Amino acid sequence: MKKQFAVIGLGRFGGSICKSLSEQGMEVLAIDTDEEKVNNFSTIVTHAVVADGTDENALKSLGVRNFDHVIVAIGDNIQASILTTLILEEFGVSHITVKAQNDYHEKVLNKIGAHKVVHPERDMGIRIAHNIVSKNVLDYLELSKDYSIVELIAGEKICNKTLIDLNIRAKYGVNIMAVKRGDDINVSPHGTEKILQGDILIVIGAIVDINKLENALFDKD
Ligand code: ATP
């Protein structure tokens, strides 16, 4: 059976989630108080409905409690976002993801039972900043305040060397999860794997250790 998603709030964030889920063949119920936005999504998602996320009865009659995953993408109105999340938690929805506007909002959402809190503007800012500082950082994903995953482009310092030669795990305490070369991806590469210029290394580890690795083996701008 197809997974059922409900997205409450059809701004840029909620809207792109709706589109992407629909493209992946999921059943999506899109909800917003703004009729124009709902109309814009009526041909994209399975159902698009004008309703207020803070209206418990409206959510009940839409059967939101039975959805596999509900995404609360209400932005500026923090009070509405919190109240909607609280209602979903009381319904016992099994997965609730909420977009936070700031750190205080995030703290409250975690306390009242959101299963996942996302902070897209902040996270994208961090990723772009890493990319600006180091031309070798293609992408950056913060796993926690101490750990992250980065994609690094192999430059002259490491090309034509094997993973055994580089001995990255022992020297820097980080792991190379995969090596991407063009369209190919080699997951859990062997030590004998030779790195070529332009390969993309997907590295996981403590942020301090990844920084050390970047400083030692990857050119900064
Ligand atoms: P984005 O950055 O995703 O564009 P935003 O952070 O600027 O969004 P808003 O535009 O304030 O956030 O809200 C996103 C959507 O949520 C809007 O389309 C708005 O109509 C809708 N919305 C606001 N309050 C409610 C509510 N109580 N119930 C349902 N939808 C709501």
Side-chain angles (χ1 to χ4, degrees):
M1 215 175 96
K2 276 185 188 175
K3 273 201 166 178
Q4 290 188 311
F5 293 84
V7 178
I8 305 176
L10 303 174
R12 285 160 301 177
F13 177 69
S16 60
I17 289 189
C18 281
K19 282 185 191 146
S20 179
L21 288 171
S22 298
E23 281 163 12
Q24 292 173 67
M26 303 295 161
E27 277 198 22
V28 182
L29 168 66
I31 298 170
D32 202 293
T33 43
D34 183 333
E35 193 173 351
E36 202 182 325
K37 290 215 168 128
V38 171
N39 287 337
N40 290 340
F41 279 86
S42 60
T43 53
I44 296 167
V45 297
T46 324
H47 297 289
V49 180
V50 178
D52 188 329
T54 64
D55 182 343
E56 189 172 345
N57 289 328
L59 295 187
K60 216 177 250 173
S61 62
L62 288 168
V64 169
R65 69 167 76 228
N66 300 317
F67 278 69
D68 298 301
H69 199 143
V70 183
I71 297 103
V72 182
I74 299 170
D76 292 345
N77 190 343
I78 291 180
Q79 191 174 319
S81 158
I82 291 171
L83 195 50
T84 302
T85 306
L86 203 54
I87 293 169
L88 297 171
E89 197 275 333
E90 283 175 353
F91 279 175
V93 172
S94 48
H95 293 286
I96 308 167
T97 295
V98 193
K99 174 189 162 176
Q101 199 71 357
N102 56 49
D103 292 345
Y104 297 112
H105 187 194
E106 180 170 3
K107 217 172 188 175
V108 175
L109 293 170
N110 282 320
K111 278 252 186 294
I112 62 171
H115 301 113
K116 185 170 183 177
V117 179
V118 292
H119 213 138
E121 287 92 353
R122 183 194 62 190
D123 295 347
M124 191 48 82
I126 293 170
R127 288 164 86 163
I128 289 173
H130 276 269
N131 187 246
I132 290 168
V133 169
S134 172
K135 64 176 190 264
N136 288 296
V137 177
L138 261 195
D139 207 351
Y140 182 93
L141 178 67
E142 209 170 72
L143 297 174
S144 71
K145 70 179 188 16
D146 297 320
Y147 289 87
S148 62
I149 294 175
V150 288
E151 286 189 350
L152 297 164
I153 308 172
E156 279 175 8
K157 286 186 189 166
I158 64 166
C159 71
N160 296 321
K161 292 187 177 145
T162 66
L163 293 176
I164 294 172
D165 296 335
L166 293 166
N167 204 11
I168 284 174
R169 190 185 305 160
K171 280 190 182 158
Y172 304 98
V174 302
N175 280 293
I176 295 177
M177 297 198 296
V179 177
K180 281 203 267 187
R181 185 172 301 154
D183 288 337
D184 293 333
I185 180 153
N186 181 359
V187 179
S188 300
H190 288 295
T192 51
E193 174 86 13
K194 197 179 250 183
I195 304 298
L196 302 182
Q197 181 128 10
D199 280 355
I200 296 164
L201 275 54
I202 302 169
V203 179
I204 186 167
I207 292 168
V208 284
D209 294 332
I210 291 177
N211 286 341
K212 278 185 206 150
L213 170 77
E214 270 184 54
N215 289 330
L217 297 184
F218 293 84
D219 296 320
K220 297 262 170 183
D221 270 338

